[in-house]
Amino acid sequence: MINYRNVTDDIVWIGGSDRRLHRFENLFPLPQGVSYNSYVVLDEQITLFDTADITVSDQYLENLTGLLGDRKPSYLVILHMEPDHCSQIATVAALYPEMKLVASAQAFRMLHQFFPELEGREEITMAEGGTLQTGRHTFHFVTAPMVHWPEVLMAWDDVSKGLFCADAFGTFGATDTALWADELDFEREYLSEARRYYANIVGKYGVQVQAVLKKAAGLDLAALYPLHGPLWRDAQGIGWFLDKYQKWSQYEPEDDGYVVIYGSLYGHTESAAQLVAAMLREKSGRDVRIYDVSGTDVSELIGEVWRCRHIVLFCPTYNNGIYPPMANFLHDCAALSVQKRVFALAQNGTWAPASGKLMTELISGWKDCTIVEPMLTIKSALHEADRPALDAFVEAVIKGGNV
Ligand SMILES: Cc1cc2nc3c(=O)[nH]c(=O)nc-3n(C[C@H](O)[C@H](O)[C@H](O)COP(=O)(O)O)c2cc1C
Ligand SMILES: [Fe+2]
Ligand SMILES: [Fe+2]
């Protein structure tokens, strides 16, 4: 069945949601699903903005052909050449042979890698400052390199004052009955997924996101039309979400609480982490969240690292190394250029504890990250005799928390 939604009088959302896909990019779990947003602007000349993922292609094509009927689009604008938005380009091009493709020069090179059959199709190459006039609407293009691919374009519509912003300002989570963020309790239902999406997919490119935010500040901006998740139209909501992006892209935390992440083979390190987490909450009065590194998807842990400045790690020594799931988490932190965080470290070892030193060596190479002294060393299990060391550790973590 056709299931499209009006965004404005003449802009129509024709995307789809997938609640069956287990992992986005075959990597990130999707407990709330994911949406692929695609748009049609019904002006004198009709313009399509991106297509959709193959998993929602039936719905997308039904929406497109159902909406257009006998009408033919003049342009397909490709803002971003990742297959979650591009899988249907060749299909749509075959449906509408006269339709011109609009993209950046680099996107066209990628297009031909994915779709050699589109060789010879009329192309309009767009760069920074380029425009596309379709009747009432003029679209003004800005480049957004490495947010999060190199070829990304965004397009500002001078009628609705909305920015087709590609993967920026997107979130995991299917589109529900409401299309707009202001129709939802976004902070409760979507914020942690938006943060997880940002941190894991865009997080490495804070500098590039800052550049886009500067461009956005120069636009008369009344709406955001991202490729995933709810759309934004109210000034307060847009300001709130732009502020989140300001913080996230500068690695500034949102909350002053603690995130405790532990690994444990047999439970001894876990019980130490639980005790410290409880002591931290009691003594600091701040929010404390605790996660098992083996049982929590690393993308969630990364989202939490973006939320909070203060991270407490409990790690067993494993074959003279860092416990593998903790090593995996730290690898992701390094790969995403985690910055401006305060780490406190607790190591466990039954014969030769070494994970603390190894974690210190890794983290001390990260930009503007500090490590609280002293670290806590557990020899197999904590006992009452360890109380002074435990108190000293918690005190140091709280003192570290005040910097
Ligand atoms: C396969 C394996 C390898 C380990 N390697 C080391 C090691 O190299 N050095 C060490 O001091 N302890 C080592 N341990 C002990 C753990 O670091 C830890 O002390 C023990 O698992 C108790 O903590 P837990 O109950 O939280 O798992 C190892 C344990 C296992 C099962
Ligand atoms: Fe993407
Ligand atoms: Fe995407």
Side-chain angles (χ1 to χ4, degrees):
M1 279 291 289
I2 292 167
N3 181 8
Y4 54 73
R5 245 83 65 73
N6 266 80
V7 174
T8 67
D9 288 351
D10 61 2
I11 302 178
V12 186
W13 178 94
I14 59 163
S17 281
D18 187 351
R19 297 172 190 276
R20 288 181 297 147
L21 188 70
H22 287 294
R23 287 178 183 269
F24 186 75
E25 295 180 6
N26 215 358
L27 195 57
F28 307 113
L30 292 170
Q32 294 170 225
V34 63
S35 83
Y36 305 97
N37 300 338
S38 175
Y39 304 92
V40 176
V41 183
L42 297 169
D43 204 356
E44 286 162 31
Q45 292 179 297
I46 294 170
T47 304
L48 315 183
F49 279 88
D50 289 305
T51 69
D53 190 71
I54 191 133
T55 57
V56 297
S57 57
D58 284 356
Q59 182 69 62
Y60 164 75
L61 291 170
E62 207 172 346
N63 288 346
L64 174 65
T65 53
L67 174 69
L68 292 189
D70 293 334
R71 294 175 291 188
K72 306 249 181 291
S74 300
Y75 305 105
L76 167 60
V77 176
I78 301 160
L79 295 177
H80 173 35
M81 258 316 294
E82 195 169 354
D84 60 331
H85 310 291
C86 291
S87 76
Q88 299 308 297
I89 291 177
T91 308
V92 175
L95 280 175
Y96 305 111
E98 305 299 318
M99 184 185 72
K100 296 170 186 152
L101 304 179
V102 180
S104 65
Q106 193 167 9
F108 278 123
R109 287 197 288 279
M110 296 176 176
L111 178 86
H112 296 297
Q113 289 168 199
F114 284 108
F115 302 109
E117 67 269 38
L118 290 176
E119 197 65 56
R121 167 71 58 148
E122 191 166 345
E123 295 177 357
I124 300 174
T125 303
M126 226 19 105
E128 180 79 30
T131 56
L132 179 71
Q133 214 254 332
T134 60
R136 253 172 24 102
H137 292 256
T138 301
F139 301 101
H140 297 255
F141 287 82
V142 292
T143 58
M146 292 321 299
V147 180
H148 63 125
W149 274 28
E151 84 299 2
V152 174
L153 287 176
M154 297 183 182
W156 180 76
D157 166 31
D158 68 345
V159 174
S160 69
K161 316 286 186 209
L163 181 66
F164 293 90
C165 52
D167 273 334
F169 309 111
T171 166
F172 293 134
T175 305
D176 279 312
T177 49
L179 192 61
W180 298 96
D182 61 84
E183 299 173 293
L184 301 156
D185 188 344
F186 187 89
E187 190 161 3
R188 190 169 65 84
E189 293 170 33
Y190 285 88
L191 176 58
S192 63
E193 287 295 82
R195 187 188 302 108
R196 188 167 68 95
Y197 177 90
Y198 176 88
N200 287 277
I201 292 177
V202 192
K204 188 179 178 65
Y205 305 110
V207 171
Q208 291 84 348
V209 173
Q210 280 285 305
V212 165
L213 290 172
K214 284 205 183 75
K215 289 182 189 181
L219 298 172
D220 176 8
L221 199 60
L224 293 171
Y225 309 136
L227 287 174
H228 302 280
L231 285 52
W232 297 82
R233 64 182 167 189
D234 65 307
Q236 202 187 343
I238 291 173
W240 176 84
F241 205 34
L242 285 174
D243 183 56
K244 291 288 179 203
Y245 262 64
Q246 283 289 358
K247 284 205 168 78
W248 293 340
S249 59
Q250 294 179 85
Y251 308 91
E252 289 298 340
E254 295 157 82
D255 295 329
D256 69 359
Y258 298 93
V259 175
V260 178
I261 301 172
Y262 69 87
S264 185
L265 295 77
Y266 295 108
H268 301 88
T269 317
E270 177 184 48
S271 66
Q274 284 172 344
L275 180 54
V276 165
M279 288 169 75
L280 271 176
R281 181 181 279 273
E282 202 174 280
K283 289 196 189 327
S284 72
R286 294 185 187 178
D287 182 58
V288 182
R289 306 283 170 92
I290 180 163
Y291 298 94
D292 176 356
V293 75
S294 301
T296 313
D297 190 83
V298 70
S299 68
E300 269 189 56
L301 301 176
I302 292 291
E304 286 296 79
V305 168
W306 246 264
R307 186 175 64 83
C308 290
R309 189 190 304 281
H310 303 287
I311 317 294
V312 187
L313 303 180
F314 281 75
C315 183
T317 306
Y318 195 85
N319 293 335
N320 287 326
I322 298 171
Y323 184 50
M326 185 66 81
N328 180 51
F329 162 69
L330 293 170
H331 174 271
D332 255 30
C333 288
L336 294 168
S337 297
V338 164
Q339 300 175 18
K340 299 187 187 172
R341 293 296 178 268
V342 179
F343 288 88
L345 305 178
Q347 63 175 349
N348 194 353
T350 294
W351 58 95
S355 53
K357 179 169 170 281
L358 294 168
M359 290 194 293
T360 301
E361 280 167 13
L362 285 178
I363 294 166
S364 54
W366 301 352
K367 190 159 184 260
D368 298 330
C369 287
T370 56
I371 300 173
V372 167
E373 298 282 349
M375 108 172 59
L376 177 69
T377 295
I378 306 161
K379 288 295 221 43
S380 300
L382 278 183
H383 303 283
E384 276 312 312
D386 298 312
R387 184 73 64 182
L390 197 57
D391 287 339
F393 180 67
V394 170
E395 199 181 307
V397 175
I398 290 172
K399 229 170 106 197
N402 289 332
V403 294

